[in-house]
Amino acid sequence: MSMHDHTDHDQPQGSFLTSRAGLVLLGFLAIGGFLLFTEHRAHVLGALFYLLPLGCVFMHFFMHRGHGHGGHGHGGHSGPRNHSGERNPS
């Protein structure tokens, strides 16, 4: 019967990002991101001006689904409604 050394199996394995290669990769990504931002700052900050109006249009388009605006043109859905969803008597 042979004896095997299993001491390295008892230690918990760290994640890739905490290893030496992972830290080097994070360093290169941080330096690359910084250089990309500093070289293209005018383009990035110039595009921010258009994000507010574009964001408003997309929010209006996608967020009106839950307000019942999709029922335009269907009969029997007109008139004010109370909190339970039933039509108020007029």
Side-chain angles (χ1 to χ4, degrees), residues 40 58 63-64 82:
H40 299 284
F58 279 113
M63 294 181 73
H64 270 289
N82 60 18

Side-chain angles (χ1 to χ4, degrees), residues 14-83:
S15 69
F16 173 73
L17 294 178
T18 58
S19 68
R20 179 178 284 172
L23 292 175
V24 170
L25 176 67
L26 287 176
F28 277 126
L29 289 176
I31 292 169
F34 175 75
L35 291 175
L36 277 173
F37 178 74
T38 55
E39 291 295 323
H40 299 284
R41 184 180 335 179
H43 305 296
V44 172
L45 297 178
L48 288 178
F49 175 74
Y50 296 105
L51 289 180
L52 182 66
L54 191 63
C56 291
V57 169
F58 279 113
M59 283 176 51
H60 181 81
F61 181 71
F62 288 113
M63 294 181 73
H64 270 289
R65 288 185 189 178
H67 293 285
H69 293 285
H72 294 292
H74 296 295
H77 291 290
S78 62
R81 296 180 181 263
N82 60 18
H83 292 292

